[in-house]
Amino acid sequence: MYSPQELSPGLVVQRFTPPLALADFKLIAFDMDSTLINIECIDEIADAVGKKAEVAAITEATMRGEIKDFKESLRRRVALLKGVPVAALQQVYDQRLKLNPGAEQLVRACKAAGLRVLLVSGGFTFFANRVKDRLSIDFARSNLLDEADGLLTGEVVQQSWGDICDGAEKRRTLLEVASLLGISAAETIAVGDGANDLPMMGEAGLSVAFHAKPKVREQAMVAINEGGLDRLLEVLR
């Protein structure tokens, strides 16, 4: 066993000897909220109806792993969004959502090295599809908010693969896309920050925690605790 080693300030590695070759990997999977982007979208949507504190408390407890059932947690939070105008989602996207530092650089470097890119999120298609287009990501899976008459209904829509993209679904999606690409799980990288990212991180050949909860940092092979996502490139040549 390797003990955790700080390669440089705020960059910790364990259970492998860096550097690894980026081109040895074929797929990189990213969580979205608080990983690729700077916000938890659901918390910001809740702000539109004055329920941000209530929703954010559930989000935080879920990401720390204190609320074990992600599906139940998401349903509880989405129910609190009932009656939010759909237009509020566009406002959150325009005014609050920013890509995290280094996101563009890391995705560009991965694509240049021949990797495919997957976005797999417990957040929502409204944001995931826009982030996918913005970064030219290959695949995305996320949750679809139900709406009627221009308002959110407080429900999540059933999609062809299921209703809620939780930790188990993130893991399944990573393995499914790897299978479609004809590669092994060992040739994948998974990047996340919350407890619901651990199942996919556990399958990947390289797991990366980005400004993550303590439980996630402890289990990841790479922990980026300071600086941008592109710091992964200090480990991958």
Side-chain angles (χ1 to χ4, degrees), residues 57-76:
I58 304 173
T59 302
E60 180 65 20
T62 306
M63 292 307 142
R64 282 198 305 261
E66 290 159 16
I67 297 178
K68 297 286 184 274
D69 187 342
F70 181 86
K71 288 192 177 190
E72 182 53 35
S73 154
L74 189 77
R75 285 194 189 99
R76 271 169 60 191

Side-chain angles (χ1 to χ4, degrees), residues 1-8 10-18 209 214-225:
M1 276 303 271
Y2 298 94
S3 56
Q5 170 199 1
E6 191 162 45
L7 274 190
S8 57
L11 184 67
V12 178
V13 299
Q14 62 180 341
R15 298 198 300 280
F16 76 102
T17 306
K215 184 177 168 185
V216 182
R217 288 203 301 267
E218 283 160 20
Q219 294 185 41
M221 295 164 71
V222 180
I224 301 170
N225 302 326

Side-chain angles (χ1 to χ4, degrees), residues 42 58-59 62-63 67-80 121-124 141 143 145 154-173 195-196:
I42 194 163
I58 304 173
T59 302
T62 306
M63 292 307 142
I67 297 178
K68 297 286 184 274
D69 187 342
F70 181 86
K71 288 192 177 190
E72 182 53 35
S73 154
L74 189 77
R75 285 194 189 99
R76 271 169 60 191
R77 286 176 287 162
V78 170
L80 291 168
S121 173
F124 305 114
R141 176 161 292 175
N143 302 309
L145 288 169
E155 304 273 331
V156 182
V157 178
Q158 179 82 17
Q159 298 183 71
S160 59
W161 48 265
D163 59 346
I164 290 176
C165 186
D166 60 353
E169 184 60 32
K170 287 186 176 201
R171 173 185 173 274
R172 206 180 71 78
T173 304
N196 64 325

Side-chain angles (χ1 to χ4, degrees), residues 95-106:
Q95 296 168 16
R96 304 189 183 193
L97 186 151
K98 294 184 174 61
L99 296 174
N100 269 330
E104 290 174 279
Q105 294 89 326
L106 177 56

Side-chain angles (χ1 to χ4, degrees), residues 165-211:
C165 186
D166 60 353
E169 184 60 32
K170 287 186 176 201
R171 173 185 173 274
R172 206 180 71 78
T173 304
L174 175 79
L175 295 175
E176 183 187 333
V177 174
S179 167
L180 290 171
L181 295 174
I183 63 171
S184 71
E187 295 172 288
T188 69
I189 303 170
V191 188
D193 73 296
N196 64 325
D197 297 314
L198 287 171
M200 73 167 177
M201 289 168 68
E203 292 289 348
L206 186 68
S207 55
V208 183
F210 180 70
H211 292 243

